[in-house]
């Protein structure tokens, strides 16, 4: 379930908004999650030593802190889509949740593999090093699979056999997971990075029918997987042998809120120093409020290699935290947004899958996307195009709207003004190298 949702999350990201805010998203997801995990884990360990809550060892406390730091704001994001919040706020919450899941899984695994025979300081140092090694290597595994797929689709004419083309995408989409897991790295991180890179390069080399099929298949599998996990979550209330410790549950909830606050507010001060468009306090508060716990945390709790009694305590506590956060924070999101409806009230725009209007305030979100469409425009009527003209296929609209062969554009003039950093390299070198140019005849065939 985690792998399926990670693949869909990476594949369905709005790349313009995601990469425009990547620095902030990465900081919240990596540094913020580490701070939150350390806050919760160390807090519970100290409280356990003081006999305030059920006692756990430092390793067990940090493991629990890492898994309970995985956020899953599915209810909040659904409300965001229905009320069309500002795209920056949407992408910060959605992007952080996608990366945060992978970070929490890698961090929890790294803590579990601590060597108990070493000193605490050295074990923490090794754990941090192990986390970054797993994070980096797993990401590279996913990136290499996605780039290899882009090259194959560019030079091998699989688009003539859509079923074979779709099977190839499926193999390369989930191959990174099995390879990374086989190498004892993070399959979730590999499949997430694969999905992001695949949708940026390989997706444009697919035939229109396979573009639609891949998007709808990933979306359907992700929906089914998430539905089954939440159904399992509900049945777990009556199916498992629980061990509820009220003091431990209450203090865990308090530390989750405190850890989330330390994640969002101080780090926002840091990232705002490097942003042209600031993340104001109201957006920060919504981000803090959106820190719901969900399926990832519960799944990790079920597989902790701890003694039975401690494992039951952790599973029961995680279940209570997940249900409380979904029911209370998820249910309170709409009233909160109505209370704070003046957040960018003059600039409300559609979210992830809708085309965003242009404005000065949204330039950081829109500029990369406008530059991409200037080079690779959507399909519109262009009667004067030459028959042998080449062009890149644009991504399908709204998760599955087909494009007809007669609606083929000519190339427009490349726009380089205002680009910087990775965008320049991407537009100038990577996109021409990894994306295929189709002829009109190929599409008609």
């Amino acid at each position: 379930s985690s792998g399926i949702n990670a693949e869909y999350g990476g594949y369905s990201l709005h790349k313009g908004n995601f990469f425009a805010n990547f620095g902030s998203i990465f900081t919240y997801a990596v540094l913020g999650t580490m701070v939150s995990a350390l806050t919760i884990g160390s807090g519970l360990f100290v409280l356990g030593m003081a006999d305030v809550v059920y006692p756990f060892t430092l390793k067990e406390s940090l493991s629990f802190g890492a898994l309970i730091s995985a956020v899953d704001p599915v209810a909040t994001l659904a409300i965001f889509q229905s009320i069309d919040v500002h795209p920056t706020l949407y992408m910060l919450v959605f992007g952080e949740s996608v990366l945060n899941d992978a970070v929490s899984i890698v961090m929890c695994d790294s803590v579990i593999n601590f060597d108990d025979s070493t000193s605490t300081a050295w074990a923490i140092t090794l754990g941090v090093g192990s986390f970054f090694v797993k994070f980096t290597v797993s990401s590279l595994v996913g990136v290499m699979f996605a780039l290899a797929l882009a090259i194959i689709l560019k030079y091998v004419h699989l688009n003539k056999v859509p079923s074979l083309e779709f099977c190839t995408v499926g193999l390369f989409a989930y191959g990174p997971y099995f390879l990374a897991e086989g190498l004892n790295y993070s399959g979730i991180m590999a499949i997430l990075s694969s999905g992001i890179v695949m949708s940026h390069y390989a997706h444009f080399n697919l035939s229109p029918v396979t573009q639609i099929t891949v998007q709808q298949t990933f979306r359907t599998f992700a929906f089914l997987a998430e539905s089954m996990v939440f159904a399992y979550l509900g049945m777990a209330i009556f199916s498992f042998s629980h061990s509820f410790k009220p003091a431990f549950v209450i203090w865990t909830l308090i530390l989750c809120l405190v850890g989330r606050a330390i994640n969002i507010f101080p780090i926002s001060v840091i990232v705002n120093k490097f942003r042209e468009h600031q993340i104001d306090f109201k957006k920060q508060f919504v981000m803090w409020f959106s820190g719901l716990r969900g399926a990832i945390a519960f799944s990790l709790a079920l597989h902790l290699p701890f003694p039975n009694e401690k494992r039951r305590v952790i599973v029961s506590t995680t279940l209570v935290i997940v249900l409380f956060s979904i029911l209370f924070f998820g249910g309170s999101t709409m009233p909160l947004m109505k209370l704070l409806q003046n957040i960018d009230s003059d600039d409300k725009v559609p979210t992830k899958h809708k085309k965003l209007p242009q404005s000065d305030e949204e330039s950081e979100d829109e500029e990369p996307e406008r530059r991409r469409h200037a080079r690779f425009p959507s399909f519109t009527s262009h009667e004067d195009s030459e028959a042998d003209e080449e062009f890149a296929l644009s991504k399908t609209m709204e998760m599955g709207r087909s494009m007809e062969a007669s609606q083929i554009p000519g190339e427009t003039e490349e726009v380089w003004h205002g680009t910087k950093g990775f965008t320049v390299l991407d537009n100038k070198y990577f996109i021409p190298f990894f994306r295929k140019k189709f002829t009109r005849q190929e599409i008609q065939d």
Side-chain angles (χ1 to χ4, degrees):
S1 172
S2 302
I4 293 173
N5 281 284
E7 177 67 33
Y8 173 67
Y11 201 85
S12 63
L13 277 176
H14 187 293
K15 300 304 176 297
N17 288 344
F18 179 76
F19 287 111
N21 295 280
F22 181 75
S24 301
I25 292 172
F26 187 82
T27 305
Y28 286 122
V30 179
L31 180 60
T33 303
M34 293 180 67
V35 169
S36 177
L38 288 173
T39 300
I40 298 171
S42 60
L44 291 175
F45 176 68
V46 171
L47 290 171
M49 291 183 64
D51 290 330
V52 177
V53 299
Y54 188 85
F56 285 91
T57 65
L58 179 61
K59 176 179 176 178
E60 294 166 343
S61 300
L62 291 176
S63 299
F64 180 60
L67 72 88
I68 205 65
S69 294
V71 297
D72 187 15
V74 58
T76 302
L77 292 173
I79 293 173
F80 280 4
Q81 286 184 322
S82 67
I83 63 177
D84 292 340
V85 299
H86 192 282
T88 299
L89 175 60
Y90 183 96
M91 185 50 63
L92 287 173
V93 174
F94 178 67
E96 184 216 351
S97 69
V98 170
L99 288 179
N100 162 272
D101 288 347
V103 171
S104 295
I105 292 171
V106 175
M107 190 182 306
C108 184
D109 185 57
S110 299
V111 175
I112 290 174
N113 291 325
F114 274 0
D115 186 355
D116 294 326
S117 63
T118 59
S119 64
T120 301
W122 181 241
I124 293 176
T125 302
L126 291 177
V128 172
S130 173
F131 164 75
F132 281 107
V133 169
K134 285 188 175 183
F135 186 91
T136 303
V137 175
S138 301
S139 299
L140 289 176
V141 169
V143 169
M144 295 306 296
F145 265 79
L147 295 181
L149 176 63
I151 293 296
I152 291 174
L153 293 175
K154 181 176 180 178
Y155 293 105
V156 181
H157 299 290
L158 296 177
N159 56 295
K160 296 181 179 179
V161 187
S163 58
L164 180 59
E165 188 180 32
F166 175 77
C167 290
T168 303
V169 173
L171 291 174
F172 277 83
Y174 294 101
Y177 180 88
F178 298 108
L179 178 59
E181 288 292 330
L183 297 174
N184 291 323
Y185 291 107
S186 172
I188 298 298
M189 193 66 240
I191 205 172
L192 173 62
S193 59
S194 173
I196 294 174
V197 178
M198 190 182 298
S199 68
H200 189 58
Y201 297 114
H203 182 88
F204 292 86
N205 299 341
L206 297 171
S207 61
V209 64
T210 308
Q211 286 185 348
I212 296 171
T213 304
V214 168
Q215 286 179 321
Q216 293 288 12
T217 301
F218 285 171
R219 187 184 194 185
T220 302
F221 283 171
F223 178 78
L224 289 174
E226 194 163 83
S227 298
M228 288 188 288
V229 168
F230 277 100
Y232 185 69
L233 193 66
M235 292 187 294
I237 300 175
F238 309 100
S239 302
F240 291 172
S241 175
H242 295 290
S243 180
F244 293 104
K245 305 293 181 182
F248 188 80
V249 172
I250 293 172
W251 277 106
T252 299
L253 178 60
I254 293 173
L255 288 172
C256 283
L257 298 177
V258 173
R260 182 68 179 172
I262 296 176
N263 176 347
I264 299 299
F265 298 111
I267 291 180
S268 295
V269 175
I270 297 174
V271 299
N272 276 337
K273 294 183 181 297
F274 302 93
R275 291 178 60 94
E276 180 181 355
H277 301 274
Q278 302 292 288
I279 303 172
D280 58 43
F281 179 77
K282 291 176 181 178
K283 288 190 179 71
Q284 295 175 32
F285 184 80
V286 174
M287 291 175 64
W288 171 79
F289 197 84
S290 302
L292 285 69
R293 271 56 178 180
I296 296 294
F298 185 68
S299 299
L300 289 174
L302 290 175
H303 296 91
L304 287 179
F306 293 165
N308 286 337
E309 178 60 23
K310 291 186 175 181
R311 184 169 168 271
R312 282 198 296 269
V313 171
I314 287 180
V315 170
S316 302
T317 302
T318 303
L319 182 61
V320 172
I321 298 297
V322 169
L323 293 176
F324 177 82
S325 65
I326 291 175
L327 295 176
F328 178 77
F329 289 101
S332 304
T333 300
M334 182 63 80
L336 174 67
M337 297 306 295
K338 289 182 178 179
L339 182 65
L340 302 175
Q341 59 183 316
N342 58 337
I343 297 179
D344 297 317
S345 58
D346 296 331
D347 204 15
K348 283 190 176 182
V349 292
T351 53
K352 186 169 63 169
H353 297 304
K354 300 179 183 179
K355 185 176 179 180
L356 307 178
Q358 301 178 9
S359 69
D360 292 336
E361 184 176 346
E362 297 165 18
S363 60
E364 75 166 330
D365 301 315
E366 287 303 300
E367 191 60 29
E369 199 68 7
R370 288 203 301 271
R371 287 195 298 270
R372 189 191 73 176
H373 286 291
R375 182 175 173 84
F376 303 102
S378 299
F379 281 83
T380 54
S381 178
H382 192 82
E383 298 177 357
D384 298 330
S385 295
E386 297 294 334
D388 59 348
E389 190 169 12
E390 294 184 342
F391 52 88
L393 284 178
S394 293
K395 190 170 245 184
T396 47
M397 298 288 291
E398 192 59 31
M399 298 300 289
R401 178 176 155 193
S402 182
M403 298 171 287
E404 298 180 5
S406 60
Q407 297 178 304
I408 300 177
E411 285 284 1
T412 60
E413 182 181 358
E414 297 179 359
V415 180
W416 302 102
H417 179 69
T419 59
K420 58 183 179 179
F422 175 76
T423 306
V424 173
L425 297 175
D426 192 35
N427 286 331
K428 193 172 183 180
Y429 299 109
F430 299 144
I431 287 178
F433 183 78
F434 289 109
R435 287 188 189 174
K436 180 180 181 179
K437 293 294 186 68
F438 290 84
T439 63
R440 176 180 293 274
Q441 187 62 42
E442 285 180 310
I443 296 299
Q444 291 176 340
D445 292 341

